[in-house]
Amino acid sequence: MTKSYDALIIGGGHNGLVCAFYLAQAGLKVRILERRDVIGGAAVTEEFHPGFRNSVASYTVSLLQPKVIRDMKLVDHGYKVIERPISNFLPQEDGGYLKLGGGLERTQAEFRKFSARDAETLPAYYDALENVADVLRDLALATPPNIGDGLKTLIDGARQGRRLAKMPLDQQRDVLDLFVKSARTFLDAWFESEAVKAAFGFDAVVGNYASPDTPGSAYVLLHHVFGEVNGKRGAWGHSVGGMGAITQAMAKVCKAAGVEISLEAPVAKVLVDGGRVAGVRLESGEEIACATVIANVGPKILYERMMDPADLGPEFTRRIKAFKAGSGTFRMNVALSELPRFTCLPEPGEHHQSGIIIAPTLDYMDEAFTDAKKHGWSRKPIVEMLIPSTVDDSLAPPGQHVASLFCQQFAPEYDWDTHREAAADTTIDTVEDYAPGFRASVLGRTILSPLDLERKFGLAGGDIMHGNMSLDQLWSARPVLGNAAYRGPVKGLYMCGAGAHPGGGVTGAPGHNAAREILADRSFFGRMLRRS
């Protein structure tokens, strides 16, 4: 074996960088092993057409933990986010539109176009979500109670459950509703307008290969309101320079802290000796010794492709095989000669700087899912379009634009090598239905089907969350009950990616939390507590 390290991190995505930073800051010798030729995982910026650059996969900012931003001093290294003037813009099939965001009064005025009752209900709805989200924000940076850890399980469970227990009964009911109900059932209890329900229900299907009628989908809706931008809760924004600007800033901070970053260094196998981690073997055949290996890849990739089942045991192997991963996401970037002109709102405006949602009703979203199950992809997919060049002119030539198309309801398992282009054409046609002339404005495009997302970024089934965000795969059960505290089933093996609590999104939380647990395990008190 070659020289050894205190910690090896498999995968250079944002969570791996965050974890490496905290470990290096504590004095550990850390090396990141990244399979691609660029650091950043799915949060990277690349040129995809001559003169046009954009975020390749991850595409918008809100969930990145303020603590991580502060601790890594990212602002000092170029981190800058421009807020959307409004959150989302939803063209309607009847030629109307709905704008969401820009303040409570503005949103209420929009809602009144569809329902006076819904406008009056909105403040109470916001309060209900915020009360639950506020509690869960605290849990995002907490290690879940890990079943089997003895006294520590009891202490962690009591501490984290205390705030939930202190909530008023009506708020506890909201928590239950959000965790077990479908998005439609939850929203039906609040609103009557289909357009209004669609405006909120869209978040329930983002990265979620499911219908808004699927039980548990209401939680995914909640997961997307946790964040903040520039101190404003629930806001979303554009990262100047694309998402790659964030991970490049993180990489600079890590290198300054002494982290060694190796590109084009794909890991083939995690080495185990005598029931504990011994290091890794790269695809080149090089072996690197280390008693601590941290995986920033998802559970399916780590346990099914990088480890020997004999090292994991039959029960754990069976449960990982049952772990659900596959988000049905289809990602495109397009170079545009001009801004799209929507039939309902053709002139340039704030709607071009927001999330443009083509999914006018919950029924539309449900049909998109059932269509994908039957045919491989929806003939009318759910499309979110962002045009970051409206606020960041470094991404496109003067007068031209780039657009991110984040599309839902494309089967995770399908013959995408054959049908990739046809599915992309369907997506373009879907936008064309609401913005005539869009197709003619497309100068170039890149396509990432679920299969492409797996090949390029190591996302099993194209799952941007590293695994479904369903009730059976959250908190103390992520990825499996008994291995939820960022520790794998082999001594010295840890997880720091979205397959661990609190899950997906560009948050940095799993990386932050995993580093804390690794450092705790290296302390005398931490070792004693885990043995108790």
Side-chain angles (χ1 to χ4, degrees):
M1 290 190 176
T2 58
K3 66 179 181 178
S4 62
Y5 298 83
D6 294 317
L8 296 175
I9 297 179
I10 304 172
H14 79 282
N15 275 311
L17 290 164
V18 170
C19 184
F21 163 74
Y22 285 109
L23 296 180
Q25 193 180 49
L28 274 64
K29 187 177 181 181
V30 183
R31 182 177 177 184
I32 295 175
L33 302 167
E34 168 56 45
R35 61 188 289 270
R36 298 189 67 219
D37 61 356
V38 61
I39 200 72
V44 291
T45 303
E46 296 177 0
E47 184 175 77
F48 67 95
H49 188 72
F52 293 83
R53 301 166 54 248
N54 202 13
S55 305
V56 179
S58 302
Y59 64 101
T60 190
V61 183
S62 177
L63 302 176
L64 187 59
Q65 285 288 329
K67 183 178 187 298
V68 170
I69 297 170
R70 290 193 305 270
D71 289 350
M72 297 188 78
K73 297 181 172 62
L74 294 181
V75 174
D76 295 343
H77 293 82
Y79 175 80
K80 182 180 179 182
V81 177
I82 298 175
E83 300 164 39
R84 301 180 192 176
I86 57 173
S87 301
N88 291 328
F89 161 66
L90 289 84
Q92 295 295 301
E93 291 176 318
D94 63 2
Y97 63 85
L98 185 151
K99 291 180 180 180
L100 183 68
L104 175 61
E105 292 183 0
R106 279 199 63 187
T107 303
Q108 284 182 294
E110 283 287 309
F111 280 18
R112 287 190 187 98
K113 297 190 304 185
F114 298 90
S115 166
R117 175 181 173 274
D118 288 355
E120 297 308 310
T121 300
L122 183 61
Y125 175 80
Y126 278 161
D127 286 345
L129 257 64
E130 184 59 30
N131 288 331
V132 178
D134 198 39
V135 173
L136 297 185
R137 282 189 188 101
D138 291 344
L139 296 182
L141 290 181
T143 298
N146 195 54
I147 304 303
D149 280 357
L151 177 61
K152 190 173 187 301
T153 301
L154 298 176
I155 294 172
D156 290 344
R159 183 175 62 247
Q160 294 182 32
R162 188 183 306 121
R163 187 165 181 189
L164 287 171
K166 288 183 177 179
M167 296 176 74
L169 181 59
D170 59 335
Q171 292 181 18
Q172 292 187 39
R173 287 169 175 159
D174 289 335
V175 172
L176 180 64
D177 287 348
L178 283 160
F179 272 91
V180 303
K181 287 185 176 181
S182 72
R184 188 192 297 269
T185 301
F186 181 76
L187 291 168
D188 279 348
W190 285 94
F191 302 110
E192 61 184 10
S193 164
E194 293 304 316
V196 168
K197 285 185 279 189
F200 293 121
F202 165 74
D203 283 336
V205 298
V206 171
N208 189 21
Y209 189 54
S211 163
D213 294 327
T214 302
S217 57
Y219 172 77
V220 186
L221 180 158
L222 178 66
H223 186 73
H224 288 84
V225 304
F226 283 2
E228 64 179 67
V229 168
N230 301 330
K232 295 182 180 179
R233 286 188 169 183
W236 290 80
H238 301 284
S239 170
V240 175
M243 297 298 286
I246 299 174
T247 49
Q248 287 299 314
M250 288 179 170
K252 289 178 186 177
V253 174
C254 284
K255 288 177 181 178
V259 176
E260 182 178 337
I261 297 176
S262 299
L263 302 178
E264 299 182 285
V267 172
K269 188 173 183 180
V270 175
L271 303 176
V272 177
D273 184 18
R276 71 160 299 123
V277 162
V280 301
R281 180 184 301 125
L282 304 185
E283 289 183 5
S284 66
E286 177 188 0
E287 294 188 349
I288 307 170
C290 192
T292 300
V293 173
I294 308 150
N296 190 33
V297 295
K300 298 293 265 189
I301 300 295
L302 171 63
Y303 295 119
E304 294 187 349
R305 304 185 193 180
M306 293 183 174
M307 298 195 71
D308 189 331
D311 293 326
L312 301 172
E315 176 62 15
F316 185 85
T317 299
R318 181 182 71 82
R319 292 194 176 277
I320 284 296
K321 185 177 181 180
F323 182 80
K324 301 185 296 296
S327 65
T329 292
F330 193 90
R331 181 73 171 81
M332 294 177 64
N333 280 325
V334 294
L336 301 175
S337 61
E338 62 181 1
L339 288 173
R341 297 175 63 85
F342 293 92
T343 302
C344 61
L345 203 58
E347 297 306 316
E350 63 183 2
H351 58 296
H352 286 112
Q353 298 175 19
S354 73
I356 300 164
I357 310 299
I358 298 178
T361 65
L362 295 180
D363 283 345
Y364 181 105
M365 299 178 203
D366 177 57
E367 289 167 10
F369 174 62
T370 56
D371 202 24
K373 289 178 66 178
K374 291 178 183 177
H375 305 295
W377 75 87
S378 172
R379 273 37 181 181
K380 288 188 176 182
I382 300 164
V383 180
E384 179 181 21
M385 178 163 60
L386 267 70
I387 311 175
S389 52
T390 56
V391 296
D392 181 1
D393 61 10
S394 71
L395 300 176
Q400 298 180 319
H401 292 278
V402 295
S404 303
L405 302 183
F406 186 56
C407 317
Q408 309 299 323
Q409 310 315 1
F410 296 76
E413 296 183 5
Y414 194 62
D415 182 9
W416 288 116
D417 285 332
T418 299
H419 298 287
R420 178 186 300 108
E421 295 293 335
D425 289 341
T426 298
T427 300
I428 298 296
D429 289 343
T430 300
V431 179
E432 177 80 14
D433 288 342
Y434 293 83
F438 179 76
R439 187 189 301 107
S441 72
V442 175
L443 303 173
R445 70 188 191 187
T446 56
I447 305 166
L448 290 171
S449 69
L451 178 60
D452 298 317
L453 288 168
E454 178 169 329
R455 286 172 174 167
K456 186 164 186 171
F457 298 112
L459 301 172
D463 198 324
I464 62 174
M465 306 287 189
H466 284 198
N468 292 10
M469 299 286 289
S470 51
L471 185 59
D472 60 323
Q473 295 185 176
L474 292 175
W475 199 42
S476 289
R478 190 167 186 87
V480 297
L481 206 64
N483 291 99
Y486 309 98
R487 298 169 180 87
V490 177
K491 289 183 179 179
L493 179 65
Y494 297 84
M495 294 166 286
C496 73
H501 173 77
V506 180
T507 71
H512 168 279
N513 298 352
R516 182 183 58 230
E517 296 307 309
I518 293 163
L519 294 173
D521 285 352
R522 296 175 68 89
S523 72
F524 175 79
F525 177 76
R527 291 194 299 272
M528 291 302 99
L529 184 59
R530 286 188 57 75
R531 289 172 184 169
S532 62

